Amino acid sequence: MIDLLLVAALALNATPIPDKPLKPEAVAKATARADAPEPVLHSVAVTLECTARADGRIEDCHVLGETHPGLGFAETAIALLQNSEVAPGPRDVQFARTIQFMP
């Protein structure tokens, strides 16, 4: 699932190939941009608090903290846990879970 999200994110950031030749100054700009190191996200983590219902459903997840706010990892972490299931228990239980995203 995470691999699919990363592939989709990379595809959205792809630069289209122009229909006509580029001017030399445009090539210089593109080359300068290509030479600039892109930041690699390491240690991306999101901590969620959720409720495990007595019947085993996981609901009511919200973010307690995240290492890279605003990049969509919190929403992805919630989607991974929301409406999942655990072994049924005698009562509803709140729990915290940290999800590590790997590059």
Side-chain angles (χ1 to χ4, degrees):
M1 176 75 175
I2 293 171
D3 292 339
L4 179 62
L5 292 173
L6 290 174
V7 169
L10 291 173
L12 290 175
N13 290 330
T15 305
I17 298 172
D19 293 335
K20 55 186 175 183
L22 294 174
K23 296 179 182 177
E25 52 273 0
V27 172
K29 284 182 185 178
T31 304
R33 229 181 337 188
D35 293 341
E38 289 192 29
V40 177
L41 297 178
H42 293 286
S43 301
V44 176
V46 177
T47 301
L48 301 174
E49 183 177 63
C50 302
T51 302
R53 301 289 179 200
D55 65 0
R57 290 176 296 121
I58 296 177
E59 297 178 336
D60 304 326
C61 293
H62 64 274
V63 177
L64 293 178
E66 59 183 306
T67 58
H68 294 80
L71 296 179
F73 290 103
E75 293 82 5
T76 302
I78 289 172
L80 287 171
L81 281 184
Q82 194 71 26
N83 298 320
S84 297
E85 293 186 3
V86 295
R91 59 185 169 76
D92 292 354
V93 176
Q94 282 192 315
F95 67 94
R97 171 73 40 95
T98 299
I99 297 177
Q100 290 282 123
F101 292 90
M102 305 304 277

